[in-house]
Every structure is written in structure tokens, then in C-alpha cells.
Amino acid sequence: MNIDFSKKYQPLFEILQGKHPEVDTVILTGGRGSAKSFVISVLSLLALVEHSWNVLYTRFTNVSIIDSIKPEVDDKIDLLNYGNKVNSTNTHIESKGSRIAFKGIKTGSKQQTANLKSLFGFNCFIVDEAEELPDYDTYEKVFLSIRSKDKRNLTILILNSASVHHWIYRTFFLNRGIEGGSNTIKGNVCYIHTFYLDVKKEYLAKNVVSYYETLKIENPKKYEHVVMGGWTEAVEGRIFNNWKQIEFSEYLKLPFKEVYAVDWGKNHGFGIVKGKFDQYKNNFYVHELNWKSENELLADLDSTERERINSISGGIIIYTMTKLGIPKDAIIVCDSAVPDNIMLLRSHGWEYAYGIDKPKGSVMAGISLLHNTNVFYTSCSKGIDYEFRNYSYANDRLGIVDDEVIKLNDDLIDPTRYLRRHFSRNN
């Protein structure tokens, strides 16, 4: 059966045939209705049946994979007349010993990632809605697990173009000198960008096309971002916009009491900040001390030092707090979700560590408090800068902003929020 795709997708199928041997990564961007998921569903089945590839098809969140991605791929089985060539189970599609597996990267609360030891044997890694990946490190953990020795290794990131502050734009576009919306190959990366105008009209719902055309006239900015897939300077639903930077030298000169705050994180960021508050001007000053997770901090050590840290009381938490030079008489406002860690700090001399209460609605209350405060962060606080620009409310597939906060980009925002609440109660 012939399926008529846009010529922009041709490099994908050429890669499947063994061409462009230098390419091991495909960045597939575009707007709504550009057939990205359709094309990749077909590609993954062709890779499985015709080339015996083992494909890991993922999203960051595990919740919707079986209800969204897998039915999309299953639907193409009949389209390709593969009904007698594959066996589709709840979580896999199998053919002659090879498989497409559907697995979420995020397994629990915060940004805890799946155990990647089970990924051995895959040679193709596909991430749908890749803009959900919170950082390069999360992506890299899976990317480095795709290491077949007898088949071509390929990573495909499918995404609706997000903010130019997103790590994907910075890593694959800005740092490589590639313009957003490009269709090209540079080095090991193939870039494909499509939009609904690349799809034949008979494949598109008339009411959706009508909506797009109306949006082009009434809201051209939204049309360019949501429909045409343009990268935007601002994050949709961005929560904070008016924070300002100061130099660390200026922060050091501020004559106000310094308080610390911690958001625990073994797999996601172990966020540690310190701050000062001028109650008369309502100015809140914050400086980042750590953004890495406990596991990342351990990985940075050599094997001898790592073994030593793991053997001592308090492990990497106490090691990090000590290395940062946090005074034993400092007030430390902690995430109350892990009381054992708070007791650990107290047992090692930080007697003024306490857990901030988190009643229902406390996140929105904290956001409101920060909105009503003049917030300043140090220019060397790169993690705060990133989260400040990317912390956002959820939005639906048409870009309509909800009032729900996305639980991402908050490993330093959360302790910043704890710290501001502390000052509101103690000044």
C-alpha cells in the first residue's frame, strides 16, 4: 500500500534503509496536525517488521502511553497489512523475536526515572511529546542505554516546539547554530520540521483547518507557535515574569539575616538555596547552592570517594551540606515530606532545620506570595534562572492555559517558595 507523506519526512525512511550513516539522532518538530505521530507510528512498524529493529517508544509520563501512543501504532498495523506478521500485547508489539516496547520514563512523583537496566537490546529510542523531558540528563540516561552492537542505533525526539529556553532548543539548535524550523542534516543530527500545510487536505478535518485559518487572522502569534510550530521566546503559561538578577557580590553585602531552604531529591534535583528578606521594601533575595540530584552528586565523585561517602553516617546529604559550608546555627527550611532527612540534619548539628507545612493549596498560596514580592536572584544561579523561565501552568493541546501547575522545573522554585513562606511568618 502506498502512503503519501510529505517529502520532508523522506530522510527518516532513508535512514531506515541505511543511508545517512552519520545520523544517530532525529529532531522532529512541528505544529498541530502535521502528521508527526502518524509518520513515526508507520516508521516504527516498518523498522520492526522489515528490519528487525527493537524499538523503545516512550513518553516522559507513563500515564497515557497505553491509552494514546500504543493505539496510534496499533492502528497502523492494519494500514500496513501487518496483521499476520505481528503480535500486539498490552505493552508490546512483537515480530520474529523483535519488539516495540511502550514504557514511560517517569515512574513516580517528581522526576523519578525508570530503572534503565531493562532497556538492553533496543536500538531505536523514540520519545513522543519530548518537550515534557525536564532536562538533558534525563534524556541522556535513556540515550546512553540504547547501545546495540549489531544494529543501527537511532534516537528520535518528537515535539511541539516549545520555548527557546528549553534544553532541547539550547542543546540541538542554539549550540549547533541551527535555525528553528530547519529541514537539514548537520553532523549526527537530522532536523525535520513540518506543519499542517505539508499534509494533504483530505487527511485533515475541515473544522480543524477552519479553526487554524481563523486563528491565523485573529491570533497570529498563537498561530505561529501552536499551529506552525514556531519556537517562542516565552513559555506558554509561564508563572513568573518579573524576577530580576543581581550580582552575587551585591547579595553578599545585603545586611539581612540569611536563611537556607532544601527540597530533597535523590533522582531529581536536590535543591538547596539561601536567601535574605528586606521586609520594609518587600524585597526577597535568593542564591542557588545546589541543583544536582543526590545520585548526580555521587556520580561526580571518583569511586574511592563515593564508596567512602556511602559508608559514613548521613551519606551524600551530610557531605553536601558540609561541603557547602552551611553554618550549624543556620535556620534550614525543609520539604516536610521526608522527616527522616530533617532528623538526619538535626543529628549532625543543624538543630534549627525544620519541615515547612504543606497543606492543600500551599503551592498556589506560595506562588501568590512570590507574585506579590520583589524577587531578586543572583546572576550565577543558573538553575534558578532556568526554572524561573520555564515553571508554568499546564495547557491543553490547543495551547489553552489551565490553572494547574506542571510538576516540572521546580527543584529550586520549591525551596524558594518555602523560604519566602518562612520570611512571611518570621518578620
Side-chain angles (χ1 to χ4, degrees), residues 371-390:
H371 273 311
N372 292 302
T373 303
N374 305 314
V375 180
F376 300 84
Y377 63 98
T378 57
S379 58
C380 53
S381 296
K382 301 304 181 184
I384 292 178
D385 182 70
Y386 180 85
E387 293 191 358
F388 154 64
R389 297 178 187 278
N390 288 279

Side-chain angles (χ1 to χ4, degrees), residues 110-111 263 387 391 407-415:
K110 292 279 187 173
Q111 297 168 19
D263 188 48
E387 293 191 358
Y391 189 52
K407 194 59 183 160
L408 294 174
N409 305 309
D410 58 2
D411 297 320
L412 292 167
I413 294 291
D414 280 355

Side-chain angles (χ1 to χ4, degrees), residues 280-294:
Y280 299 106
K281 294 183 178 180
N282 194 32
N283 288 351
F284 176 42
Y285 307 90
V286 63
H287 173 69
E288 168 189 330
L289 292 172
N290 182 67
W291 196 27
K292 292 184 177 181
S293 69
E294 293 176 35

